[in-house]
Amino acid sequence: MQSENQLETIILQMQKRYTRLAEILRLTQDLDEALKRNDRESADMLIQMRGEEMEEVSVMHEDIAYMISCLPQVQQTAIEYALHEDDKQIKRICELKERSQHILQKAREIDRCMNMRVAGEHSYYAQQTEVN
C-alpha cells in the first residue's frame, strides 16, 4: 500500500513537471519569435521567465529521482526500462517520462536553431559540433 501511495505521489509530481516543461517550450517558442522581431525587451523578459521555470523543473527532477530511488528495486527497474506490463501506475510514470523527453527535445531543437541564428559561429551549439 505504501508503494502505491509513493507511485501516486511520483505521478502527481511528474504531471506538475510536465506542465512546467510545456511552459518552457512555450516560452522558448515565444523567445524565438521575439528574437526574430528584434524585440530585445521581450526577449530579456522571456529569458528570465524561462530560466525561472528551468530552475523549478530542475528541483522537481531531483525530487522525483529521490522518490523513485526510495521505491523497491523491482519498481525502480520497471520505471528505468519502461517495463510496466500490467501495472497502471508504472505505465503512467513511463508515459509521463516519455512525453517529458519529447517536450525537452522540441525545446532543445528550437533553442539550438535560435542560438545558431543569433550567435552564428560563436554559438554554444557550433562549438559542440567542432568538438564532436
Side-chain angles (χ1 to χ4, degrees), residues 2-131:
Q2 181 183 358
S3 180
E4 285 183 31
N5 290 339
Q6 288 174 302
L7 290 172
E8 199 57 43
T9 300
I10 291 168
I11 289 169
L12 290 173
Q13 288 302 311
M14 289 185 79
Q15 288 172 329
K16 289 177 185 177
R17 181 175 176 266
Y18 177 82
T19 300
R20 294 264 185 174
L21 288 170
E23 180 63 9
I24 289 170
L25 176 59
R26 186 191 66 77
L27 290 168
T28 302
Q29 292 167 332
D30 290 351
L31 175 59
D32 188 39
E33 290 301 315
L35 290 172
K36 286 177 182 174
R37 294 188 315 268
N38 287 326
D39 183 350
R40 199 72 190 145
E41 192 174 314
S42 293
D44 289 344
M45 180 184 66
L46 290 163
I47 289 169
Q48 180 180 351
M49 291 168 62
R50 190 174 81 147
E52 291 168 2
E53 288 293 327
M54 287 177 170
E55 286 178 31
E56 286 294 321
V57 165
S58 179
V59 170
M60 293 173 108
H61 182 74
E62 289 175 18
D63 291 346
I64 291 166
Y66 174 75
M67 287 186 275
I68 290 172
S69 75
C70 293
L71 292 171
Q73 187 62 46
V74 68
Q75 289 177 324
Q76 290 180 43
T77 302
I79 290 168
E80 183 177 351
Y81 296 105
L83 306 171
H84 43 76
E85 297 175 9
D86 294 328
D87 190 321
K88 290 180 183 178
Q89 289 177 312
I90 299 286
K91 181 178 180 180
R92 181 70 179 136
I93 289 170
C94 292
E95 288 171 352
L96 286 165
K97 186 176 167 184
E98 186 178 322
R99 289 174 61 202
S100 294
Q101 287 301 319
H102 184 69
I103 281 188
L104 276 171
Q105 185 177 358
K106 280 183 180 179
R108 284 183 185 130
E109 183 58 28
I110 294 167
D111 191 71
R112 186 187 69 75
C113 292
M114 182 174 42
N115 195 292
M116 295 286 285
R117 186 176 60 248
V118 171
E121 67 184 35
H122 302 291
S123 164
Y124 166 80
Y125 295 99
Q127 294 171 9
Q128 292 302 309
T129 303
E130 292 173 8
V131 172

